[in-house]
C-alpha cells in the first residue's frame, strides 16, 4: 500500500483514451501493479503503433463511450479511469464540434454506463485547473472551493465545467468513490502538449505589459497521482500542480527563447506567429492563460495523498533539459515573426482610431 490512503485496489479497471499518450501510460502503470488483476484500455481508434510495447500488458478494446455500458456490466468492472478528453480542437478531426462531442457528450455517456454498472465502486475523472477560468477579478490562489468569476472563453474550459457538473450529479451514487483531478498543464521531459510546443518555439509571443504567474505539473507526478487515485480511496476534488510558480518571463528565459511582446487585443492574431512557423495551434484557453496566469492551492492533495509533486520550477527544468539544443530561430523566421507583430500592432492602432 502506498502512503496517504487505505488499500482499495480494484480487481478490474477500465481506462478510457488508451490510444493517447496519457491514457496509454496510465493503463500500463496500472497493469504493472500486482494488486490489480486486469486492465482494459478503451478507445475508438487504434493506438499509435509507438505505444504497442507500452500496452503489452493491457487488454485493448476498440469501443465508443456510448457502447461502454455492456462492457462494464459483462466484465464486472470495479473501477473506471476517464482520460478520453480533447484539450484543443483539431480542424482535421471535426474542430470544436467534435471536441465538444468527445468531451461533454462522451462523458455523459460514460457516466450513464457507470450508473448501470452494478459492481463499480471507483470512478476517477481527469479534469483541469481550466475549471477556474481566468479574469482580472480572480484571487491570487484558487482552492478547490473557489468558483470561477467568469465563464471561460475557451472551449476546453467550458467543457471542463460541464464535465464536473455531470460528475457532481453522479455522486448521488454513494457506493462509488468519485475522484476528480484538476491538473495544471503537464510538462516534463516526455510531455508533448500545446504548452510544451509553445515554449519550444524559437520565438514566443507574449502580452505587452503582462507577466502572468504559471504552475505546471510534471507528467510523471500526474501518473503517480492517477495511480494512487485508483489503488487508494480518495473521494472528492483535488488540485494537482507543482508547488511554487514561474512567471512567464522567467520560463521563457529558462528555456532560452526569444519573447516577442504584442498588444493584448492582438494576441489571438499573434498565435499566427507559431502557426506560420509550424508550431501547432493555440486557442482562447491558452491565450487567456498567458494573459492572466493561474495558481492553485495543493494542500488538500498533499494532505490526503501523502504526496507532493516536484516543484513547478523543477518540472519545467526537466522539460528544458530534454529540449536543450532544440529548435533555433532562423533569420527568415524572425523576420516573419516581426512582420506579424507589426501588422497586429497596426491593426490595433487602426481600431483605436476608428473608435475615437
Amino acid at each position: 500500500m502506498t502512503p496517504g490512503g487505505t488499500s482499495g485496489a480494484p480487481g478490474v479497471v477500465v481506462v478510457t483514451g488508451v490510444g493517447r499518450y496519457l491514457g496509454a501510460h496510465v493503463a500500463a502503470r496500472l497493469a504493472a501493479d500486482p494488486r490489480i488483476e486486469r486492465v482494459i484500455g478503451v478507445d475508438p481508434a487504434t493506438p499509435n503503433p509507438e505505444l504497442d510495447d507500452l500496452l503489452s500488458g493491457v487488454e485493448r478494446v476498440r469501443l465508443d463511450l456510448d457502447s461502454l455500458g455492456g462492457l462494464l456490466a459483462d466484465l464486472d468492472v470495479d473501477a473506471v479511469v476517464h482520460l478520453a478528453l480533447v484539450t484543443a480542437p483539431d480542424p482535421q478531426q471535426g474542430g470544436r464540434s467534435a471536441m465538444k462531442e468527445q468531451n461533454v457528450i462522451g462523458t455523459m455517456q460514460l457516466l450513464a454506463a457507470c450508473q448501470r454498472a452494478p459492481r463499480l465502486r471507483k470512478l476517477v475523472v481527469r479534469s483541469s485547473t481550466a475549471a477556474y477560468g481566468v479574469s482580472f477579478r480572480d484571487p491570487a490562489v484558487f482552492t478547490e472551493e473557489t468558483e470561477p468569476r467568469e465563464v471561460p472563453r475557451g472551449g476546453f474550459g467550458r467543457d471542463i465545467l460541464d464535465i464536473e457538473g455531470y460528475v457532481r450529479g453522479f455522486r448521488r451514487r454513494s457506493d462509488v468513490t468519485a475522484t476528480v483531478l484538476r491538473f495544471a498543464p503537464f510538462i516534463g521531459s516526455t510531455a508533448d502538449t500545446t504548452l510544451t510546443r509553445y515554449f519550444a518555439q524559437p520565438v514566443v509571443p507574449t502580452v505587452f505589459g503582462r507577466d502572468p504567474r504559471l504552475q505546471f505539473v510534471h507528467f510523471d507526478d500526474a501518473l503517480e497521482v492517477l495511480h494512487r487515485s485508483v489503488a487508494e480511496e480518495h473521494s472528492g476534488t483535488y488540485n494537482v500542480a507543482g508547488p511554487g510558480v514561474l512567471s512567464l518571463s522567467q520560463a521563457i528565459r529558462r528555456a532560452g527563447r526569444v519573447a516577442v511582446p504584442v498588444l493584448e487585443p492582438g494576441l489571438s492574431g499573434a498565435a499566427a506567429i507559431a502557426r506560420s512557423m509550424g508550431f501547432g495551434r493555440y486557442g482562447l484557453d491558452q491565450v487567456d492563460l498567458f494573459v492572466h496566469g493561474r495558481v492553485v492551492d495543493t494542500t488538500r492533495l498533499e494532505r490526503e495523498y501523502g504526496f507532493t509533486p516536484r516543484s513547478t520550477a523543477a518540472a519545467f527544468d526537466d522539460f528544458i533539459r530534454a529540449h536543450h539544443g532544440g529548435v533555433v530561430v532562423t533569420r527568415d523566421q524572425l523576420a516573419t515573426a516581426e512582420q506579424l507583430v507589426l501588422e497586429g500592432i497596426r491593426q490595433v492602432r487602426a481600431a483605436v482610431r476608428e473608435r475615437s
Side-chain angles (χ1 to χ4, degrees):
M1 183 183 72
T2 52
T6 58
S7 179
V12 181
V13 181
V14 164
V15 179
T16 69
V18 76
R20 303 183 186 124
Y21 193 80
L22 175 64
H25 279 77
V26 170
R29 185 173 178 130
L30 293 174
D33 187 335
R35 297 170 295 176
I36 297 174
E37 299 171 9
R38 189 177 182 188
V39 177
I40 302 166
V42 173
D43 202 292
T46 302
N48 188 319
E50 296 179 359
L51 301 174
D52 283 345
D53 290 342
L54 184 67
L55 294 170
S56 60
V58 177
E59 301 175 45
R60 285 174 274 176
V61 179
R62 291 187 63 179
L63 196 68
D64 290 314
L65 294 179
D66 60 356
S67 304
L68 194 59
L71 179 72
L72 298 185
D74 293 344
L75 299 179
D76 289 332
V77 172
D78 301 292
V80 171
V81 186
H82 183 36
L83 305 176
L85 299 186
V86 179
T87 58
D90 186 345
Q92 296 181 344
Q93 300 295 327
R96 169 61 186 149
S97 61
M99 175 184 175
K100 186 170 184 177
E101 177 77 19
Q102 173 72 25
N103 291 346
V104 179
I105 305 304
T107 300
M108 288 177 59
Q109 294 167 337
L110 177 136
L111 293 177
C114 289
Q115 286 280 14
R116 300 190 299 270
R119 283 197 52 179
L120 187 75
R121 59 188 180 87
K122 191 166 295 187
L123 172 69
V124 179
V125 177
R126 173 193 178 183
S127 185
S128 167
T129 55
Y132 299 112
V134 284
S135 78
F136 286 107
R137 299 188 295 116
D138 286 338
V141 179
F142 292 94
T143 69
E144 287 85 353
E145 285 74 31
T146 307
E147 296 290 335
R149 303 295 175 88
E150 295 182 8
V151 175
R153 292 196 304 161
F156 181 61
R158 294 197 302 272
D159 288 353
I160 287 296
L161 289 180
D162 289 340
I163 288 167
E164 290 202 8
Y166 297 136
V167 175
R168 283 193 294 273
F170 176 83
R171 283 193 167 120
R172 287 193 292 267
R173 184 172 169 179
S174 58
D175 61 320
V176 177
T177 298
T179 305
V180 174
L181 301 173
R182 290 176 178 164
F183 288 106
F186 297 138
I187 207 158
S189 59
T190 60
D192 181 18
T193 67
T194 301
L195 189 71
T196 60
R197 290 190 290 273
Y198 171 80
F199 285 112
Q201 297 174 101
V203 175
V204 181
T206 62
V207 182
F208 184 80
R210 301 288 294 177
D211 194 15
R213 299 178 306 146
L214 304 174
Q215 268 183 324
F216 310 114
V217 60
H218 195 284
F219 184 77
D220 292 345
D221 293 332
L223 294 181
E224 176 68 19
V225 172
L226 282 161
H227 188 171
R228 292 185 183 214
S229 298
V230 176
E232 303 170 354
E233 296 293 325
H234 296 291
S235 178
T237 299
Y238 300 88
N239 291 329
V240 186
V245 301
L246 282 176
S247 68
L248 181 57
S249 62
Q250 289 174 325
I252 292 172
R253 285 196 300 271
R254 283 174 179 251
R257 304 310 187 194
V258 177
V260 181
V262 298
L263 298 179
E264 185 175 332
L267 182 61
S268 298
I273 297 172
R275 290 194 295 270
S276 70
M277 294 187 288
F279 290 101
R281 60 192 185 277
Y282 302 93
L284 290 175
D285 293 294
Q286 289 78 30
V287 170
D288 286 346
L289 181 64
F290 301 148
V291 173
H292 302 285
R294 187 187 298 119
V295 179
V296 299
D297 178 80
T298 59
T299 301
R300 179 181 294 177
L301 174 81
E302 295 170 15
R303 180 181 66 244
E304 299 294 334
Y305 281 71
F307 173 72
T308 301
R310 72 200 74 185
S311 71
T312 285
F316 193 79
D317 286 347
D318 188 48
F319 159 73
I320 293 171
R321 284 191 294 271
H323 292 77
H324 181 70
V327 178
V328 177
V329 63
T330 67
R331 184 174 299 177
D332 289 343
Q333 288 176 328
L334 185 57
T336 299
E338 289 174 344
Q339 289 302 314
L340 286 169
V341 172
L342 291 173
E343 179 60 28
I345 293 173
R346 282 194 290 268
Q347 291 176 359
V348 172
R349 287 176 175 171
V352 171
R353 286 196 297 270
E354 289 178 2
R355 287 197 295 268
S356 60

